[in-house]
Amino acid sequence: MISCTETVLAYNEMFSFLHKRYGKKAVVKFWEDVSDEFLRNLRELVKEKGIKGMREYWGKVLKEEEAKYKIRYGRDFFRIEMYRCPSVGLLRRHKGINRYKDYCKHCDILYRRIIEDYGFSYSIEYMDNKKGICRVEARKII
Amino acid sequence: MPKRIHKDFHGLLNYGLKYLEENYGRKAVEYYLVQVADNVYGGLSKRIKKQGLKALKKHLKRIFDLEEAKYKIYNDGRRLLLEVRRCPALEHMGKREYPVMKRFCECDGIITKEICKNAGIELKIKYNQKKGSCIQEFWKDER
């Protein structure tokens, strides 16, 4: 069995596999599909609860993944300040793994498609891809 | 305190495998799984090759304990027998009502087979995906 603690490694291999055989477009198409089909729970939360739904989703997921992060929010914004991305950390530690060059990009495509559908702008700033430091922000469009 | 784990990653993996099969066919899934076995579990194969079945037992115990699976593992020195009574991946996906890929267990078998091939050990697997159970037997062919 692939343990859920090893899925990130298999996920990274999926990106490399698709890219090598079918090109970058196939990787992006896969990310779009995951966003549209697999992340329906996040979509429902954002649709129904807005910023509260984002807090609910990422508050649970990032805790389960043991990320080092800070969530900040207000009436019009939601922000994740990621100091140590758990996925990036795992890929760095695991010997034998070649990290997919655009690994971090999946977070942009996966979440942007959902957040922007419900009256928010979405931005992601990559401060250090190697260390897994970034900042994600959703801001209500007024 | 038990380590926190994000069980929904099982759903993501299942989704990825289903996606690959539906868009690129069965062969693509097989090639991908062999790549996963070689790259992600290459270190495990090396440890099994060097230390024998105890390295495999240690790996299986670690992940099944972490996932709080209902399982038993026996090792008589020559053979290792893993009996999974309730697969944590299938259990989680069942609770979330995810459409589980028909060949989900078979995919797991492809990875396990490749890990064993790389480690130079033999295996026999019997799955019951509906029940979420399986029996996996491993041994070293001394011939």
Side-chain angles (χ1 to χ4, degrees), chain A residues 4 6 10 13 33 37 64, chain B residues 6 15 32 35 41 67 108:
Chain A
C4 60
E6 296 155 346
E13 290 299 323
D33 203 82
E37 299 298 326
E64 285 177 350
Chain B
H6 182 53
Y15 190 82
Y32 163 68
Q35 180 184 312
Y41 298 105
E67 301 245 9
D108 180 77

Side-chain angles (χ1 to χ4, degrees), chain A residues 10-22:
Chain A
Y11 194 47
N12 175 71
E13 290 299 323
M14 178 72 87
F15 305 163
S16 305
F17 179 84
L18 288 172
H19 191 125
K20 199 173 169 188
R21 286 182 165 252
Y22 312 106

Side-chain angles (χ1 to χ4, degrees), chain B residues 18-143:
Chain B
K18 240 169 131 277
Y19 177 90
L20 202 55
E21 187 172 67
E22 283 165 9
N23 290 278
Y24 301 98
R26 276 187 176 205
K27 271 283 164 209
V29 178
E30 284 175 29
Y31 290 137
Y32 163 68
L33 292 169
V34 166
Q35 180 184 312
V36 171
D38 294 345
N39 295 346
V40 176
Y41 298 105
L44 173 64
S45 291
K46 278 184 194 159
R47 288 198 299 281
I48 299 169
K49 206 168 195 173
K50 202 173 168 188
Q51 301 163 18
L53 293 172
K54 67 176 182 186
L56 179 58
K57 185 180 179 183
K58 192 178 169 188
H59 168 80
L60 293 170
K61 260 187 82 54
R62 185 181 63 79
I63 62 167
F64 281 99
D65 285 345
L66 191 67
E67 301 245 9
E68 297 178 329
K70 201 173 170 192
Y71 79 102
K72 289 218 164 160
I73 195 161
Y74 315 90
N75 184 9
D76 67 3
R78 289 175 55 243
R79 281 177 186 259
L80 183 69
L81 189 78
L82 170 73
E83 195 183 334
V84 181
R85 292 174 186 175
R86 199 183 61 214
C87 169
L90 291 170
E91 188 186 24
H92 173 79
M93 292 191 285
K95 276 183 195 164
R96 299 293 298 262
E97 296 180 349
Y98 287 142
V100 179
M101 188 195 191
K102 273 184 192 163
R103 301 197 308 131
F104 185 78
C105 291
E106 204 184 314
C107 288
D108 180 77
I110 294 170
I111 292 186
T112 309
K113 200 174 157 189
E114 180 71 8
I115 293 170
C116 290
K117 191 185 102 186
N118 293 340
I121 60 170
E122 304 291 321
L123 78 156
K124 196 164 78 184
I125 308 178
K126 203 176 161 190
Y127 292 109
N128 186 331
Q129 188 166 318
K130 271 189 183 165
K131 286 186 179 170
S133 64
C134 69
I135 295 174
Q136 305 187 17
E137 196 178 352
F138 306 91
W139 69 94
K140 190 161 176 67
D141 191 357
E142 304 288 2
R143 281 176 300 172

Side-chain angles (χ1 to χ4, degrees), chain A residues 79-91:
Chain A
R79 188 186 306 136
I80 301 168
E81 291 169 6
M82 181 62 72
Y83 307 121
R84 195 181 63 206
C85 169
S87 302
V88 170
L90 185 62
L91 291 168

